[in-house]
Each structure stands twice: as C-alpha cells, then as structure tokens.
Amino acid sequence: GAVVSQHPSRVICKSGTSVKIECRSLDFQATTMFWYRQFPKQSLMLMATSNEGSKATYEQGVEKDKFLINHASLTLSTLTVTSAHPEDSSFYICSAIRQNSNQPQHFGDGTRLSIL
Amino acid sequence: GQQLNQSPQSMFIQEGEDVSMNCTSSSIFNTWLWYKQDPGEGPVLLIALYKAGELTSNGRLTAQFGITRKDSFLNISASIPSDVGIYFCAGQLSYKLSFGAGTTVTVRA
C-alpha cells in the first residue's frame, strides 16, 4: 500500500534555530504533497500544498517566508521552519497523493517540534 | 479550509457497544473520508466514500456518504479496547481536505 515516511519524528531545539522536516513517498510517486499543523487536542489544519517542480501554495495566514517548502522530486517534499520560536512548537504532518490517481491522501507519522 | 461539524466531541463507552459519529457541512464535498489517529502518530485512513448515498464497510466499521453530499456518518460495531483513539472525518474537494474537529473514543473494558 501507499506509505509515507516523515523524518525526524521528534525535534527539540533552541529558539532561533531553523528546522527541516522531510516527507517521502516510499512506494509511489507523488505529484502533490500537503503539510498540516496540529495543536494539542485540535484537528489538522492545512498549511500549504506542495507541488513537484513549482512553488507551494500557502493557506491564508501561513507565512511563506517562515515555512519554506521545497518539492524537488516526485518522492520528497521538505518543510523548513526558519528561525523557530516557542510558538512554532506543534505537531507537523505531511500527506501525499499518488500521481495520476484518485486515491485519498496518505499521511506520514508526523513530527513533534518543540522549541525551547 | 471549510468548516465541518463533527459530533460527538468525545465518547466513553463499554467494550462491546456500538459507536456512532457523524459530520455535517454547509458545503458539498466530492469525497468523504474517515481517519483514525493514535497519540503521536499521523491519521490512518479507515474508509473512503466517493458517491452520494454510498454505504461502505470495512470490518466492524460502516460509513455512509449522505445523499446531499453534505454529511457522513461512521459506525463501529462491537467496540474493542483497540478502538480507542481520535476519529476524524474529512471532506475532499479537488485535492484539498477539510477536517472535522475529531471524536475522542475511550473504551472501558
């Protein structure tokens, strides 16, 4: 089945550090990947849509200079949280859609980001 | 994203009981999805519904896509301890998903 791998699973770092999170589709090619953010006891909120070979589309209120997205290949998208601050601490989850299919999104296991 | 109303917010049930939860929206979706999320993990797809009126089962799970395309329900029959978790509905339009707030299910053995 469709498997999405996310790395790292947990990051703890100091304020001001930039953190990169990787999302890989392991057994399929994904033209489109998505990045979500989830606060404790809340639902998933879409941050941006990542398209291979083009600029990401950000949802309203999401700072594109703060959350840099790169989708350089059909199996890898990265999210970089630049100059992270404590308020950026959250659970970040990616998902991917198999290329040329109507299959639903498959999610990674998430990255717990804690900024001290 | 669009607002989905998911209820109930939480449930505390006895093992063996049936569970029902539902989602409604003011907007139409092309696809309804139900996911389960365990603590510290990403959501796992349970059931996908593609046609209005569609009723689909996956083991002890049954879900339906409402005729109006604005609602869906999920039933879990004969609950067991591993059913504990948070269940999310999601409506899909084009490739985008809008999630409900989640239903937290706690099963008492």
Side-chain angles (χ1 to χ4, degrees):
Chain A
V3 178
V4 176
S5 172
Q6 197 169 333
H7 179 81
S9 58
R10 187 176 181 98
V11 180
I12 301 173
C13 57
K14 294 181 179 179
S15 185
T17 307
S18 290
V19 178
K20 180 186 282 189
I21 303 170
E22 294 186 347
C23 181
R24 295 181 184 273
S25 55
L26 296 185
D27 57 352
F28 65 99
Q29 293 185 327
T31 314
T32 305
M33 292 185 174
F34 302 86
W35 288 97
Y36 295 83
R37 184 173 182 176
Q38 185 178 33
F39 289 108
K41 299 188 185 301
Q42 293 190 21
S43 188
L44 285 77
M45 296 299 296
L46 179 64
M47 299 174 65
T49 303
S50 171
N51 299 298
E52 186 267 336
S54 64
K55 291 183 179 180
T57 303
Y58 290 81
E59 294 300 299
Q60 191 173 8
V62 178
E63 300 176 58
K64 60 180 181 181
D65 295 329
K66 176 74 171 177
F67 300 99
L68 300 179
I69 292 173
N70 184 281
H71 193 154
S73 78
L74 286 172
T75 60
L76 174 64
S77 176
T78 61
L79 168 68
T80 301
V81 183
T82 61
S83 186
H85 293 286
E87 59 267 27
D88 298 322
S89 298
S90 189
F91 194 51
Y92 292 87
I93 311 173
C94 72
S95 70
I97 294 178
R98 186 187 294 269
Q99 187 181 28
N100 299 325
S101 84
N102 64 350
Q103 291 184 2
Q105 293 180 28
H106 293 272
F107 287 82
D109 278 338
T111 297
R112 173 72 59 193
L113 176 61
S114 300
I115 308 298
L116 305 177
Chain B
Q2 300 173 57
Q3 285 286 90
L4 268 65
N5 299 309
Q6 184 171 350
S7 65
Q9 184 177 359
S10 62
M11 311 182 70
F12 192 64
I13 60 174
Q14 195 82 21
E15 184 178 355
E17 286 183 347
D18 296 344
V19 175
S20 288
M21 61 193 78
N22 69 83
C23 272
T24 61
S25 170
S26 58
S27 303
I28 289 174
F29 290 105
N30 295 330
T31 302
W32 278 93
L33 304 163
W34 287 92
Y35 289 89
K36 180 175 182 271
Q37 185 179 28
D38 292 328
E41 298 183 10
V44 174
L45 181 67
L46 299 175
I47 290 182
L49 302 157
Y50 298 102
K51 293 181 183 178
E54 179 182 354
L55 182 70
T56 297
S57 293
N58 178 10
R60 293 179 296 107
L61 308 178
T62 302
Q64 185 159 31
F65 191 152
I67 288 290
T68 64
R69 294 167 62 194
K70 294 182 179 181
D71 63 294
S72 176
F73 72 75
L74 174 71
N75 288 341
I76 306 172
S77 63
S79 57
I80 60 177
S82 62
D83 289 333
V84 163
I86 304 177
Y87 292 79
F88 290 100
C89 64
Q92 181 173 327
L93 204 57
S94 184
Y95 289 117
K96 278 193 177 180
L97 292 183
S98 296
F99 282 86
T103 296
T104 301
V105 174
T106 305
V107 179
R108 182 171 47 209

